Amino acid sequence: MKSPAFDYEHFFELTADLFCIAGYDGYFKKINSSVSKILGYSMEELYSRPINDFVHPEDQLVTSKVREQIYRSKPLLNFENRYLTKSGEIVWLSWTSMPVESQQLVFAIAKNITHKKEIESQRNSLITQLSLLNQELRQLTFSTSHDLRAPVNNLLSAFDLIDDRKIEDQDTLDLIQLLKNSGRKLSDTLNKYVDVLKERHEKETSIERVTFSQSLKQVLDSIQALIKTSNAEIQAEFSEVDEVDFNRAFMESVFLNLITNSIKYAKPETAPQIKIRSQRHFDQVKLTVEDNGVGMDLEKMGHRLFRVNQTFHGHTNSKGIGLYLVYHHVVGLGGKIEVDSIVNQGTKFTITFP
């Protein structure tokens, strides 16, 4: 039985997704009207210029590297990058591409995920604000309960200095005793509040024996695609010490944010090289994460480095959250974090565990 004829061209044009056929020479060979509608360029403009011209400048290098892998017959799944429309707006696209080496062509479909990225950004901002507010409220409650104990204890000490034998008026004695009892109850209540707050904090951030190598493996497994597309080289040396008392989730967050930052702020045309090492220094454990990226001017930026919503290199994908989280994970559990950095020579973070 003969198969019915279909108008594939009609299907090509009907879809809201971006359908593209690109050549190994880096130019579009066939695109549907959705590409023109979303990017704002005419068909003639899109066919006449290299595809990379339409990619956001900060994503051009990684896009070129990914394209080279496609040319080596490696299909691409769910690769996200940014394009600039003719009017200068940023559009996020998620690509699935399949090479046909015999024809020197790449067949690709892209979905416009700009709205999804905006929602993610808003959600991350709200989570950060809520976390910050919650932390500030907790700290205020802890500080208030803690700091009020000193004047209350001073008041109780003052009562103890009063010689009751020299007071003949019974009403005055009764009043002093009442104030003493009230002061002791207030002191007991404040102590109880402080103990409860400490206990809750310790439960939320349970301390356990954490293995650097295992935590790092968890993180690297979760960002394999990013490491591959950026050609990042990561060297880890934990032979001197591989365990520390810390919070497991916090440790993975520290690795994740420092490594992704190193990849994000790599020098143009230079593959990121990240060296991670642990050392024992007297009775303390130190962890260093060093890269060969763009670095930063600490005289200008150092005082803002670990604050929330701080970005320093104009990277569109930066939200100013990562280093804020790293700092509070480390300092919140009694550790210390230091930074050494030189512009165009890289950055080194040193974490000292308590």
Side-chain angles (χ1 to χ4, degrees):
M1 182 177 176
K2 191 175 180 180
S3 300
F6 291 104
D7 185 355
Y8 295 106
E9 188 71 27
H10 189 57
F11 171 74
F12 196 79
E13 284 298 330
L14 270 180
T15 179
D17 291 335
L18 290 74
F19 276 24
C20 310
I21 301 175
Y24 277 24
D25 59 358
Y27 284 80
F28 288 123
K29 302 304 178 184
K30 185 173 179 58
I31 54 177
N32 65 354
S33 57
S34 293
V35 181
S36 178
K37 288 176 184 176
I38 290 174
L39 296 183
Y41 291 95
S42 67
M43 289 292 200
E44 291 75 16
E45 288 174 311
L46 290 165
Y47 283 129
S48 64
R49 292 165 55 184
I51 299 171
N52 227 32
D53 282 2
F54 307 107
V55 177
H56 191 289
E58 292 180 3
D59 288 355
Q60 286 179 354
L61 179 61
V62 66
T63 301
S64 296
K65 291 178 179 178
V66 168
R67 192 177 292 123
E68 289 298 323
Q69 293 184 17
I70 296 175
Y71 296 162
R72 292 195 287 271
S73 299
K74 293 182 180 179
L76 181 69
L77 302 174
N78 303 320
F79 170 70
E80 297 178 0
N81 66 352
R82 293 166 293 173
Y83 277 66
L84 286 178
T85 67
K86 192 169 184 177
S87 61
E89 295 178 7
I90 294 174
V91 175
W92 277 93
L93 299 177
S94 177
W95 293 91
T96 297
S97 306
M98 188 70 63
V100 180
E101 189 174 3
S102 60
Q103 300 179 42
Q104 298 284 285
L105 293 175
V106 177
F107 290 77
I109 302 174
K111 290 186 177 294
N112 185 351
I113 58 169
T114 306
H115 182 61
K116 171 190 162 190
K117 286 290 184 180
E118 289 172 351
I119 291 175
E120 285 179 359
S121 176
Q122 293 170 6
R123 183 196 62 191
N124 289 337
S125 179
L126 286 172
I127 289 173
T128 303
Q129 291 175 23
L130 286 171
S131 298
L132 182 60
L133 181 60
N134 184 54
Q135 184 179 350
E136 289 175 347
L137 287 172
R138 179 189 294 165
Q139 187 62 39
L140 177 62
T141 306
F142 188 86
S143 298
T144 302
S145 301
H146 182 272
D147 295 347
L148 279 176
R149 292 190 304 174
V152 170
N153 289 334
N154 285 337
L155 185 63
L156 291 173
S157 298
F159 282 129
D160 290 336
L161 294 174
I162 296 175
D163 190 350
D164 296 347
R165 293 170 299 176
K166 294 182 179 180
I167 300 174
E168 297 179 357
D169 183 66
Q170 187 60 42
D171 290 340
T172 302
L173 286 171
D174 292 342
L175 179 60
I176 290 173
Q177 192 59 43
L178 176 64
L179 292 173
K180 267 188 185 180
N181 292 338
S182 298
R184 288 195 182 98
K185 287 180 180 177
L186 178 58
S187 179
D188 291 341
T189 302
L190 290 172
N191 287 334
K192 195 179 296 181
Y193 282 160
V194 172
D195 291 340
V196 168
L197 287 169
K198 284 178 66 178
E199 184 179 346
R200 283 183 181 173
H201 178 69
E202 287 168 359
K203 282 182 179 178
E204 289 173 8
T205 54
S206 58
I207 306 299
E208 55 193 314
R209 203 69 176 164
V210 176
T211 305
F212 288 132
S213 53
Q214 290 179 359
S215 295
L216 179 61
K217 184 179 184 302
Q218 286 286 110
V219 171
L220 297 184
D221 287 345
S222 71
I223 57 170
Q224 271 300 318
L226 176 63
I227 295 171
K228 188 175 293 185
T229 55
S230 65
N231 287 328
E233 180 184 335
I234 300 174
Q235 301 174 4
E237 175 57 59
F238 302 129
S239 59
E240 189 169 331
V241 54
D242 194 24
E243 291 184 333
V244 69
D245 290 329
F246 203 62
N247 179 272
R248 189 179 305 277
F250 284 6
M251 191 71 255
E252 291 178 10
S253 177
V254 167
F255 277 135
L256 176 66
N257 283 293
L258 293 184
I259 291 171
T260 53
N261 262 19
S262 293
I263 295 175
K264 188 187 303 178
Y265 298 118
K267 285 187 287 191
E269 309 296 332
T270 303
Q273 292 184 347
I274 305 165
K275 297 178 181 178
I276 305 170
R277 184 185 179 195
S278 60
Q279 294 174 283
R280 190 173 296 283
H281 185 73
F282 298 107
D283 60 340
Q284 293 178 317
V285 173
K286 288 181 179 287
L287 177 73
T288 58
V289 179
E290 186 174 3
D291 64 47
N292 64 336
V294 295
M296 66 187 88
D297 187 341
L298 290 178
E299 288 189 9
K300 292 181 180 178
M301 306 174 181
H303 64 290
R304 297 187 290 122
L305 192 59
F306 297 113
R307 294 181 188 174
V308 70
N309 293 330
Q310 297 295 316
T311 57
F312 304 102
H313 293 289
H315 200 293
T316 307
N317 203 26
S318 296
K319 306 301 177 188
I321 297 172
L323 289 182
Y324 167 82
L325 290 175
V326 170
Y327 177 82
H328 282 279
H329 289 337
V330 173
V331 175
L333 292 183
K336 184 173 70 171
I337 183 167
E338 299 168 288
V339 188
D340 294 308
S341 188
I342 299 175
V343 175
N344 290 325
Q345 292 188 33
T347 302
K348 179 180 179 181
F349 289 91
T350 302
I351 297 170
T352 304
F353 295 91

